[in-house]
Amino acid sequence: DFNVVCVYTDYTNSSGESAIPADWVKVVAYQNGTALTTLTFTGEETNGYKPCDTSVQDGTTAKIVWIFEVDDPEAEVTVEVKDL
């Protein structure tokens, strides 16, 4: 069992080739000033969203999730999202 926080996104691949969202978008969750561990459950959907290591064809929008293990269930989590 894990305490987790999920970041749900609609990822549109317009790279001109198949792409893995985690290679094109940097998503980092922080708690108490430090980055949380990213969990990837390859091949498993979470609430209808595919994991961030899923290949997405050019011109396609997919529902993608980043999952982070929470260190302290009582502390606030902040998230940064940046294109790479």
Side-chain angles (χ1 to χ4, degrees):
D1 273 348
F2 297 99
N3 288 315
V4 299
V5 61
C6 297
V7 178
Y8 296 98
T9 65
D10 288 329
Y11 171 78
T12 301
N13 179 7
S14 56
S15 69
E17 58 189 288
S18 292
I20 295 173
D23 293 340
W24 290 82
V25 180
K26 181 179 181 180
V27 180
V28 182
Y30 294 92
Q31 194 172 51
N32 298 319
T34 60
L36 297 175
T37 301
T38 304
L39 302 176
T40 305
F41 301 103
T42 300
E44 293 185 30
E45 289 192 6
T46 301
N47 297 326
Y49 285 71
K50 296 189 179 294
C52 61
D53 65 346
T54 299
S55 188
V56 178
Q57 286 187 314
D58 182 52
T60 302
T61 298
K63 293 185 176 301
I64 302 294
V65 62
W66 276 260
I67 303 172
F68 300 92
E69 185 175 8
V70 173
D71 293 331
D72 176 356
E74 302 300 317
E76 180 179 69
V77 175
T78 58
V79 177
E80 292 180 1
V81 179
K82 297 178 185 175
D83 288 335
L84 296 176

